[in-house]
């Protein structure tokens, strides 16, 4: 059976060339990195546990992709450019076809964003994947959760609710195969909004990525920015697949409370909107205005076509 070190060499030590700010990567006690003077380092860690964050049904390639995508989404949510990643992998056994697919999914995404795998750890145990990703900012400006101001417009990139829909057996069963496939693609292969995050860094006010559901995540901005908000439920952006699979209100409920969207949620002063529209058009990312920050204590006021409604608000709760 493949030993630990040839496993690392065969499946993980295969990116060339390395970034030029990596002096030493896989193979020594530590990696050695050289950010430029003045740059800020942004650092995030996320763990995916078998049976909690994914099931074997996803397949190893998707698991590798998603383990990195959720971390790159956090880097994007700060407005930073992702640079390096470390991988702590716990495996029940050495399954080479699994490792080949897993590493291909992970490294394909890393290569696409110019991110170098600089090291990690490999242990035996129940399948779990922890990635630490690091990104760079050219200066102190970034997208923080506490930077929202009353009066800011609230926007979200892309569309919401597809991944949550893919987890509803009844909805999936009544949908055409093509729709099922599009919803599953969003669940298994989320695309981190790296270009959009970088484009918004110096323009937007508050920002974060939507991972636990829009309502729960917007709640974090409200708390940290000490604002209330109105959210226009009929404006939540839904994909064509989700529209095909649901009626309008069911779709909006999934967009509000689902999770695993990995879109960017941001607030912006009215005076910066034209600049933002130009920047996101250049980045090739769609966006939708979905509400407004208000003065007051953190509270989310929901409306449907102008009328106040009290839909249940949930979001992913970890414990
Ligand atoms: P140490 O015992 O000094 O911590 P290890 O023997 O655990 O080092 O790892 C050897 C090298 O392989 C290190 O550079 C480490 O960062 C790297 N490494 C270990 N596991 C992985 C992995 N899953 N992916 C990428 N690099 C890894
Ligand atoms: Mg060591």
């Amino acid at each position: 059976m493949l030993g630990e070190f040839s496993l690392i060499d065969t499946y993980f030590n295969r990116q060339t060339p390395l970034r030029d700010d990596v002096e030493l990567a896989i193979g020594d006690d530590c990696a050695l990195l050289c950010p430029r003077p003045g740059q800020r380092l942004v650092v995030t860690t996320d763990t995916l546990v078998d049976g909690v964050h994914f099931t074997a049904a996803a397949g190893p390639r998707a698991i590798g992709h998603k383990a990195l995508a959720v971390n790159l989404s956090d880097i994007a949510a700060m407005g930073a450019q992702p640079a390096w990643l470390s991988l702590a992998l716990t495996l029940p056994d050495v399954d080479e076809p699994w490792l080949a697919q897993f590493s291909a999914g992970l490294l394909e995404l890393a290569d696409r964003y110019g991110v170098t795998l600089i090291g990690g750890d490999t242990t035996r145990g129940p399948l779990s994947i922890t990635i630490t990703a690091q990104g760079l900012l050219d200066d102190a400006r970034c997208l923080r959760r506490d930077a929202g101001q009353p009066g800011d417009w609230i926007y979200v990139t892309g569309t919401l609710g597809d991944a949550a829909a893919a987890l509803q057996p009844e909805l999936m069963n009544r949908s055409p195969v093509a729709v099922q496939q599009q919803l599953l693609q969003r669940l298994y292969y989320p695309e981190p909004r790296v270009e959009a995050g970088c484009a918004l860094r110096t323009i937007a006010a508050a920002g974060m990525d939507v991972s636990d559901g829009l309502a729960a995540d917007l709640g974090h901005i409200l708390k940290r920015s000490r604002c209330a908000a109105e959210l226009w439920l009929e404006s939540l952006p839904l994909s064509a697949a989700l529209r095909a699979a649901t009626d309008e209100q069911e779709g909006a409920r999934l967009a509000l409370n689902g999770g695993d969207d990995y879109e960017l949620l941001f607030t912006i002063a009215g005076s910066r909107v034209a600049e933002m529209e130009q920047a996101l058009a250049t980045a090739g990312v769609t966006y939708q205005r979905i509400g407004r920050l208000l003065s007051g204590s953190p509270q989310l006021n929901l409306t449907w076509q102008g009328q106040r409604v009290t839909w249940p608000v949930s979001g992913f709760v970890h414990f």
Side-chain angles (χ1 to χ4, degrees), residues 19 21-22 24 30-35 39-46 68 71-76 78-87 110 113-120 131-137 194:
R19 290 171 61 93
D21 52 13
V22 177
L24 193 54
C30 291
L32 193 55
L33 309 169
C34 31
Q39 282 185 324
R40 267 46 170 198
L41 198 53
V42 305
V43 182
T44 183
T45 297
D46 263 293
L68 180 55
N71 280 279
L72 297 190
S73 178
D74 280 325
I75 302 270
M78 298 301 289
Q81 189 70 50
W84 313 304
L85 82 110
S86 331
L87 169 66
Y113 288 105
V115 178
T116 296
L117 175 59
I118 54 166
I131 287 179
T132 297
Q134 306 185 49
L136 295 165
L137 294 164
V194 172

Side-chain angles (χ1 to χ4, degrees), residues 8 21 28 34 59 88-89 93 144 189 209-210 239 279 292 308:
I8 294 163
D21 52 13
D28 215 306
C34 31
L89 192 56
D93 49 32
R144 300 169 52 129
Y189 288 95
D209 66 329
V210 185
S239 71
R292 191 167 209 185
R308 277 290 287 274

Side-chain angles (χ1 to χ4, degrees), residues 91-115:
L91 298 169
D93 49 32
V94 177
D95 175 343
E96 291 204 50
W98 191 94
L99 278 165
Q101 288 296 310
F102 172 83
S103 60
L106 187 142
L107 293 179
E108 189 269 332
L109 182 63
D111 287 339
R112 188 135 51 88
Y113 288 105
V115 178

